[in-house]
């Protein structure tokens, strides 16, 4: 049986960094589900497919290929065989991804892909609905949170490191917009699973968050 760790939480709560580090340490394959919704968004932007054009969306979902591959320690994303790791982080994609992720048929397809990815491998999967919807029986469920301001600061720093131009006010506004969209959606809203462990990371260093999660996982494996 595969061992599954689900990490959920809002944008910028540290899920991505934490999942990568913990995955590496404990030999769990790390899957970034937000990146999958970003790939779908990029495809729609490039092909001028509107959010309401369910027929076209359904057509391309049948053939779209989204892959995550580890290339010498770096996670890379591929959309129909093209590497799009940086493109899916750009502003135009970030602006529509929350809405795209709430299109029911998009979510159904992504959830199906996510469940297939986890067959027979030990994984740490991060997203919004992993513990509540994708893997309600996950072995460990973590819900990471932090204040919106702290999350905006982190995103700004990340973008700077990647050389992506951005400004704090815009990021903060986008984070609040997405929080609201993600929490109030009637399609898999962002909520903490009842049996998830809540960690507020606002005043914690990334190493401290990882240590907490690693201890939780090791403890669970012993049982
Ligand atoms: O984690 P991220 O910022 O890359 O996620 C991008 C968007 O995708 C975010 O607005 C919420 C959505 N998302 C989702 O609805 N379900 C997931 N499992 C992962 C992300």
């Amino acid at each position: 049986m595969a061992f599954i760790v689900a990490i959920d939480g809002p944008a910028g709560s540290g899920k991505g960094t934490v999942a990568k580090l913990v995955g590496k340490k404990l030999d769990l394959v790390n899957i970034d589900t937000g990146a999958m919704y970003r790939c779908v968004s990029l495809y729609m932007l490039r092909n001028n497919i509107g959010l309401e054009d369910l027929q076209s969306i359904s057509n391309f979902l049948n053939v779209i290929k989204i892959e995550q591959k580890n290339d010498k320690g770096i996670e890379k994303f591929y959309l129909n065989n093209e590497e799009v790791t940086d493109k899916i982080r750009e502003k135009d994609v970030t602006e529509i991804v929350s809405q795209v992720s709430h299109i029911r048929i998009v979510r159904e397809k992504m959830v199906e892909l996510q469940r297939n990815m986890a067959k027979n491998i030990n994984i740490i999967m991060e997203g919004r609905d992993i513990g509540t919807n994708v893997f309600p029986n996950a072995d460990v469920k973590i819900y990471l949170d932090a204040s919106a301001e702290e999350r905006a600061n982190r995103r700004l720093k990340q973008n700077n490191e990647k050389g992506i131009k951005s400004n704090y006010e815009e990021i903060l506004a986008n984070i609040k917009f997405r929080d609201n969209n993600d929490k109030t959606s009637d399609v898999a809203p962002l909520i903490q699973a009842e049996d998830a462990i809540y960690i507020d990371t606002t005043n914690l260093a990334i190493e401290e968050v990882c240590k907490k999660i690693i201890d939780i996982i090791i403890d669970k494996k012993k049982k």
Side-chain angles (χ1 to χ4, degrees):
M1 266 299 269
F3 190 86
I4 298 175
V5 178
I7 310 230
D8 291 302
S13 55
K15 299 183 306 279
T17 315
V18 166
K20 250 179 234 144
L21 293 172
V22 173
K24 214 173 195 179
K25 185 93 184 174
L26 298 182
D27 217 9
L28 302 166
V29 176
N30 158 235
I31 299 170
D32 174 357
T33 59
M36 298 170 72
Y37 290 99
R38 286 172 180 273
C39 285
V40 173
S41 306
L42 179 63
Y43 185 92
M44 288 173 64
L45 281 172
R46 282 180 168 175
N47 294 282
N48 273 320
I49 298 172
L51 295 165
E52 259 123 63
D53 187 355
L54 295 182
Q55 189 55 58
S56 304
I57 296 171
S58 161
N59 290 345
F60 82 71
L61 284 176
N62 283 329
V63 290
I64 197 169
K65 197 166 150 197
I66 297 172
E67 293 164 294
Q68 179 184 325
K69 294 182 193 164
N70 189 294
D71 181 10
K72 300 184 194 90
I74 299 169
E75 294 299 332
K76 293 192 172 165
F77 296 91
Y78 295 81
L79 170 60
N80 294 333
N81 303 319
E82 175 196 346
E83 206 231 312
V84 293
T85 316
D86 294 331
K87 289 198 184 84
I88 57 171
R89 304 284 158 202
E90 284 177 6
K91 206 170 133 204
D92 51 350
V93 171
T94 303
E95 275 171 3
I96 67 156
V97 63
S98 178
Q99 293 164 78
V100 169
S101 73
H102 293 137
I103 301 170
R104 195 174 294 274
I105 51 173
V106 170
R107 184 164 289 277
E108 280 167 6
K109 180 69 186 186
M110 293 305 112
V111 170
E112 179 193 321
L113 289 177
Q114 287 152 17
R115 289 185 180 144
N116 284 338
M117 282 168 152
K119 280 196 179 137
N120 306 319
I121 54 168
N122 297 329
I123 59 156
I124 182 161
M125 185 176 275
E126 51 118 339
R128 302 293 192 288
D129 61 337
I130 312 304
T132 50
N133 181 34
V134 184
F135 293 114
N137 297 322
D139 298 277
V140 174
K141 297 182 189 177
I142 307 284
Y143 189 92
L144 286 188
D145 209 354
S147 71
E149 290 72 19
E150 170 65 16
R151 290 186 281 126
N153 269 322
R154 290 178 188 168
R155 217 12 81 97
L156 182 70
K157 196 164 160 247
Q158 251 176 23
N159 285 354
N160 285 344
E161 283 164 7
K162 286 181 186 151
I164 300 172
K165 266 198 173 163
S166 49
N167 98 16
Y168 175 79
E169 293 305 329
E170 254 180 46
I171 295 178
L172 182 61
N174 177 266
I175 280 185
K176 286 186 175 168
F177 170 76
R178 284 205 286 158
D179 276 0
N180 188 47
N181 237 330
D182 292 345
K183 287 179 180 164
T184 58
S185 158
D186 54 351
V187 185
L190 171 64
I191 40 166
Q192 183 186 342
E194 262 176 32
D195 50 349
I197 297 167
Y198 180 90
I199 303 176
D200 182 346
T201 72
T202 307
N203 297 308
L204 292 179
I206 213 81
E207 298 75 27
E208 293 173 290
V209 182
C210 289
K211 166 107 183 38
K212 270 182 194 279
I213 297 176
I214 288 170
D215 288 348
I216 294 167
I217 297 173
I218 291 176
D219 209 44
K220 177 77 191 194
K221 279 190 164 172
K222 277 190 210 149
K223 285 178 184 160

